[in-house]
Amino acid sequence: MVEIEIDGKKVEVPPGSMVMDAANKLGTYIPHFCYHKKLSIAANCRMCLVEVEKAPKPLPACATPVSAGMVVRSHSDKAVQAQKSVMEFLLINHPLDCPICDQGGECQLQDLAVGYGKNNSRYEEEKRVVVPKEAGPLISMKEMSRCIHCTRCVRFGQEVAGVMELGMLGRGEHSEITTFVGEAVSSEISGNMIDLCPVGALTSKPFRYSARTWELSRRKSVSPHDGLGTNLIVQVKQGKVKRVLPLENEAINECWISDKDRFSYEALDSQERLTQPMLKQGGEWKQVDWQTALEYVAHGLKNIRHEHGADAIAAYATGHSTLEELALLKKLASGIGFENVDFRLRQTDFALDGQVTPWLGMPIADVSSLQRAFVIGSFLRKDHPLLAARLRAAVKGGAQLSILHGTADENLIKVANNIVIAPSDWVAALNNIVLAVAQAKGEAAPAGFEGDVTDAAKAVAASLLSGEQKAVFLGNAAVHHPQASAIHAAAQWIANATGAKLGYLTEAANTVGGYIAGAVSSKPAFAEPKKAYVLLNAEPELDAANPQQAVAALKGAEMVVVMSAFQHGLDYADVLLPIAPFAETSGTFVNCEGRAQSFNGTVKPLGEARPAWKVLRVLGNILGVPGFDYETSEAIRDEVLGAANPANPADVSAKLSNVANVALKPASFGAGDKLERIADVPIYFADALARRSPPLQATVDAQAPKAVISAQLAEQLGVKSGDMVQVQQGTGAAILEARVDAGLPAHVVRVSAAHPSTATLGDMFGSISVAKAGEGK
């Protein structure tokens, strides 16, 4: 450690630290703009100039390494005069538009100008003007004259997001931050640049001119989207959510949030919001009161149980429902007498049920310090934006990342080994790696495993057998795969043999919580048609593994109850019950590391919408199910989590396990003679809120899905990118634009799920046919 003195106080910091680091450790504030603890040092704003004893001139605290015995003065006359001089330069060209600037009230330049700025300017020439830029639907670059060239946005793109979407052109007074060749900013975590901008140059386009920072009340919340459990600050004005910002939590999301977390709140006031209970009578929808709607539901469920037995009823939710909602749904089902309750609508292989309660297998923060990682079946960047950012940081620190997947997606991470192979061959490819690991360790291979080992398998094995901190991760596509249990078995063997941890990159905000709540059955959803369905936050035509099968089952049912914040399913539902989305209800999400995080509603429910746990509680009371006397959501949470870890109820990792007693299954590579589908879930169609957020739906990632085909198939069909093709699965077909991807396996067709244009198709994996539009069957 190196000891230095700052403003008379001594502090010890590691060698190589900067003066700014030492000041932060002491709690001494040194004014700055370009410095940020998560970004590299730029030292281009010069606002952090300090006096260093024996140095002839002031030095930048952010870029001056500490040395033993160094004496620093951050508030001496010499330092303050230097800082004031820098401020004068910064204000020379800065426009005097604070009254109309969206950053007003939370602007670093505004704050520091009070302490270090002069009352008047000596500069009488015209201020420079920078032409406004267009950066897409999320970030406004209309006032780039305010930019002070701190380059935080540029460095964030390069270092955290992994893509340089903004850069600096010109020199001196002609310098300006701009997008490249007029391209929109389209990174899935681009909104963090708004937070990083210390002035009002980059602002939130949806929030722009809608409120002042001092008018907003701030409430803590938790992201309802991916499995990370990102901590949020929800800002509210006059009962409306106006903005969502990150709440810093180093253990989970650091100081970042994804664009889905940031902008999905725009769906809360969607025209599609369901605000009144509705019944279908005589083929027409009519608004009714809550008592009428719930009594209708209770009467219908009783009748179906009486006429067809309790097993004729099923209740399906999604992993975006809270722990309390899923627990009450399960309890209600058990009280009525049926067990068909599940939130895993995209899963088709249930062989691991009762053995595996999947989780990340480690604390989230440990992902950043991994030295070796092997990711199986994941659309990494789009499924898990902030986990991808941690893996990117790990790779920049020297880690090796290996991937096995069905597409060659650009994850903006340096990949050491990338195996791109058809989904039907994933088990065979993993078995090949099992064989490679056994050979590399000089051990006997598992029984039935023999044959040649590919170079790619050897490379993955060699990578995993080196290094210290290691992990094997199973992504969403691996979980959705029809051979998920065989994939798990191989991954578990590889992890054990190489000393790596096995983890799941869980799909939704409360996937882990769904297992804790026991909202799981042992059969694929909609595989066996039922007489009655209760749907909680679920849109089966978009959320199910096989939309064809799901919609057919729903249309054939005698009663379908839809509990949702939005109007949907009008063609198959009989009852619509308006429930409150995450911002309007209290509840708990259990994230991928097994951390239970509770939150309160930030605004009142819209119209007659009610928290789903209250709706289920009242329904339980009407049906006469015992134990439905909860007064608060916390009472439900404590009942579910109380026994998990009495010392720390928020940590449920003791109840989670990725270890299964499942045998390895020998598998061989297919002939590749049949076309097969691989389906991703587009980032802004993964849940109900994102699907209805106008700014997110205006992004590049929300464009209508294309049929992505290999170069070989394109040549065979006589198709080029931009042509229309007909894809068919089972009884359904869709006309989609084709895109040729040279990195796709020859007999694989990528067609996204969870989108209205592909909701007529079948399984997310499985056989598919493609023909040039007009030449199909």
Side-chain angles (χ1 to χ4, degrees), residues 13 68 85 219 256 295 396 434 549 578 617 632 648 694 728 752:
V13 290
S85 298
R219 286 123 195 215
W256 317 121
E295 285 181 354
K396 285 194 169 189
V434 167
Q549 187 185 65
R617 180 195 64 188
T632 63
N648 181 12
Q728 188 159 352
S752 298

Side-chain angles (χ1 to χ4, degrees), residues 81 124 311 317 347 403 556 594 658 713:
Q81 187 53 50
E124 296 180 355
D311 194 49
Q347 190 168 320
I403 291 177
N658 293 328
L713 181 58

Side-chain angles (χ1 to χ4, degrees), residues 124-143:
E124 296 180 355
E125 288 77 10
E126 287 186 12
K127 289 179 182 282
R128 75 178 197 136
V129 176
V130 179
V131 178
K133 311 291 189 302
E134 181 53 54
L138 306 180
I139 299 175
S140 172
M141 297 179 74
K142 293 294 184 186
E143 287 90 14

Side-chain angles (χ1 to χ4, degrees), residues 717-735:
L717 297 174
V719 168
K720 59 183 185 297
S721 289
D723 289 350
M724 303 305 290
V725 294
Q726 176 174 304
V727 295
Q728 188 159 352
Q729 267 188 306
T731 58
I735 304 291

Side-chain angles (χ1 to χ4, degrees), residues 227 343 352 355-367 384 387 471-475 479 488 501-508 510-513 515-516 590-596 650-660:
F343 67 95
L352 296 174
Q355 298 189 64
V356 170
T357 44
W359 69 301
L360 189 64
M362 64 177 71
I364 290 168
D366 288 359
V367 174
H384 311 284
L387 275 176
V472 176
F473 292 126
L474 294 165
V479 174
H488 175 101
K501 291 183 178 178
L502 178 65
Y504 278 80
L505 307 176
T506 57
E507 181 175 8
N510 201 35
T511 296
V512 176
Y515 282 91
I516 298 294
V590 184
N591 72 355
C592 59
E593 69 175 1
R595 184 189 300 234
D651 180 13
V652 302
S653 58
K655 295 187 77 172
L656 308 175
S657 172
N658 293 328
V659 179

Side-chain angles (χ1 to χ4, degrees), residues 86-95 109 113 117-118 121 127:
V86 170
M87 178 59 72
E88 185 175 15
F89 279 119
L90 288 172
L91 294 178
I92 279 176
N93 276 314
H94 198 79
L109 184 63
K118 292 189 174 183
S121 174
K127 289 179 182 282

